[in-house]
Amino acid sequence: MAAAALAPPQVTASAGHHLDFDVIVVGAGIIGSCAAHAAASRGARTLLLERFDLLHGRGSSHGDSRIIRDAYAKARYVPMVHLARRLWADAEAESGYRVLTPAPHLSFGPRSNASLLAALENAGGAEEVDLSMRWGGAIRVPDGYLASVSERGGGVLSATKAVAMFQALAVKKGAAVRDNAEVVAIEKGPGGVVVVRTSAGEVFHGAKCVVTVGPWASKLLRSIAGVEIPIQPLHTLSLYWRVKPGRERDLTAEAGFPTFSCCGGEPPVYGTPSLELPGLIKISCDGGPPCDPDSRDWVAGDKEITERVARWIEEAMPGHVEAAGGPVIRQSCICSMTPDADFVIDFLGGEFGEDVVVGAGFSGHGFKMGPAVGTFLAEMAIDGKANTAAEAGVELGHYKINRFDGNPMGNGANNH
């Protein structure tokens, strides 16, 4: 696909002009862009609306890389990630370029860590390894740690490129894409039509609507339907550290270095092979301080996060990565956490019934699932059910929007 296709053409509408669509998708991050592509691929007249510029850096879908991994402590996600892998491959074949670089995935931590043991069991095919014998001994672990590798279970997704790919593919299938269109109201109109209004006074009419607005989900759903979903945006960081001289090739994807996650200590540390920025490696940790996506200070929690990761590097990768002086590059992101760290994939209900579908609260592990979740949302909007989920063995009952009613922890103790 030509590079020009990365910038989808935009639909124009004067204030108050009505445009009719089968499906209106609100929010053009990875989930919304995948949903728009899935809807348009099924023949639906589709409109994708984005509040900011396309491919902006204010939400959760931008940046150079995201991990895809099969090792999941929660077994419910394993068939979803397997489906997502197939759909990523399909999209790459359709677009003609690559956004996923395969890699092994390394999981390690204390042998007593229940989440680690569950992830290794669910991964299937993961084998215990002696880290002193792999990757030039780049990673050191304390006594009593378990390390296991799934040779085909990891990978690195080029994040912003992937979002652009799905937007371009959606346009190719006939979707209209519009940015700088902030949705301020979603209403039920005469005859059951869904009316979507923007801050510029534009009005769009659709048969169905899919809401995928990331860290703005709680605010928008409260505004349009009075629905309270406990989704807490967190300010997170992606950190890139300098690889020590002479070790640059050892840590590259070409050399077979893995994506990895370490369950030892809180919060967990993760990393990717040196890939998008030569001579640098991405190593960061989960979590961060709560934030308001409309009034971020962009630095809260940075010191604590970088110090945590620097200490980990000094203990685990001292011969290969330079921690002194801190990271070379810091990239801010937002993680939208639910109390149980499970997604929300459901009909909005109430007066909207099954005419508005919500995808939200992806809790730091949704990007890899984008093509699968986007397909579920599109099918729910068009057909009233997600046949692809059922065929893949994905049970969407875990992701109900009302699971927090009278139960603040949602899936809570039943998380695995």
Side-chain angles (χ1 to χ4, degrees):
M1 179 175 293
L6 291 178
Q10 310 213 346
V11 61
T12 59
S14 59
H17 186 62
H18 293 186
L19 296 178
D20 294 324
F21 297 91
D22 298 314
V23 178
I24 300 174
V25 181
V26 181
I30 188 60
I31 303 297
S33 298
C34 288
H37 171 249
S41 296
R42 286 157 175 76
R45 295 171 300 163
T46 304
L47 171 64
L48 176 62
L49 297 174
E50 170 54 51
R51 174 180 179 177
F52 304 108
D53 288 339
L54 293 179
L55 309 181
H56 66 86
R58 297 179 61 173
S60 305
S61 294
H62 61 285
D64 295 303
S65 63
R66 297 290 189 281
I67 291 175
I68 184 168
R69 56 182 169 83
D70 294 349
Y72 252 98
K74 300 178 183 180
R76 67 179 69 118
Y77 287 103
V78 175
M80 191 185 298
V81 76
H82 288 169
L83 172 63
R85 276 189 183 275
R86 295 197 297 273
L87 295 177
W88 280 113
D90 290 347
E92 287 182 313
E94 185 181 352
S95 68
Y97 56 87
R98 189 178 75 174
V99 297
L100 197 167
T101 301
H105 183 74
L106 167 67
S107 303
F108 59 106
R111 287 185 177 274
S112 59
N113 187 289
S115 292
L116 173 63
L117 296 176
L120 298 182
E121 180 180 355
N122 294 333
E127 298 182 357
E128 185 170 354
V129 295
D130 179 355
L131 286 182
S132 68
M133 305 297 291
R134 296 295 297 268
W135 307 297
I139 299 177
R140 302 178 182 177
V141 296
D143 292 339
Y145 264 46
L146 169 65
S148 183
V149 173
S150 175
E151 292 295 346
R152 294 177 298 277
V156 181
L157 291 159
S158 180
T160 298
K161 183 180 179 182
V163 178
M165 177 181 73
F166 273 104
Q167 290 174 2
L169 291 176
V171 169
K172 182 180 177 182
K173 293 294 185 180
V177 179
R178 174 80 185 266
D179 67 355
N180 292 296
E182 179 186 6
V183 170
V184 294
I186 301 173
E187 306 161 353
K188 286 302 292 287
V193 69
V194 178
V195 182
V196 177
R197 303 181 186 275
T198 73
S199 59
E202 296 163 324
V203 182
F204 302 96
H205 291 74
K208 306 288 183 176
C209 182
V210 177
V211 177
T212 55
V213 293
W216 289 270
S218 290
K219 289 186 176 186
L220 184 60
L221 295 174
R222 183 185 306 119
S223 172
I224 66 174
V227 172
E228 294 288 346
I229 304 181
I231 297 174
Q232 176 60 66
L234 303 180
H235 170 75
T236 64
L237 284 180
S238 293
L239 304 175
Y240 289 84
W241 307 78
R242 191 173 304 283
V243 179
K244 289 191 172 180
R247 299 294 190 177
E248 292 87 354
R249 174 160 175 77
D250 296 349
L251 304 188
T252 62
E254 292 82 357
F257 195 74
T259 57
F260 64 84
S261 53
C262 175
C263 300
E266 287 295 334
V269 171
Y270 65 88
T272 63
S274 180
L275 179 63
E276 60 267 34
L277 298 170
L280 303 182
I281 185 170
K282 179 180 177 179
I283 305 175
S284 198
C285 65
D286 292 345
C291 71
D292 182 334
D294 292 315
S295 58
R296 298 163 69 186
D297 70 5
W298 301 93
V299 296
D302 286 12
K303 182 174 184 292
E304 293 79 5
I305 292 171
T306 55
E307 288 180 352
R308 154 71 173 145
V309 177
R311 288 194 301 271
W312 184 90
I313 291 171
E314 289 170 348
E315 295 170 357
M317 301 184 72
H320 286 69
V321 180
E322 182 59 67
V328 178
I329 296 175
R330 298 170 171 84
Q331 295 179 346
S332 297
C333 192
I334 297 182
C335 172
S336 300
M337 293 296 302
T338 60
D340 53 16
D342 283 329
F343 305 164
V344 173
I345 305 171
D346 200 4
F347 299 106
L348 181 54
E351 67 171 308
F352 295 98
E354 295 186 355
D355 291 336
V356 175
V357 189
V358 176
F362 292 100
S363 301
H365 60 113
F367 194 99
K368 68 179 77 64
M369 305 295 195
V373 174
T375 297
F376 303 158
L377 295 170
E379 291 181 346
M380 290 167 70
I382 296 169
D383 303 322
K385 58 182 178 180
N387 288 324
T388 298
E391 293 165 0
V394 177
E395 175 50 63
L396 293 182
H398 296 294
Y399 312 113
K400 292 292 187 181
I401 201 168
N402 64 357
R403 70 180 185 268
F404 302 105
D405 294 350
N407 178 23
M409 291 307 297
N411 292 322
N414 298 318
N415 250 348
H416 297 295

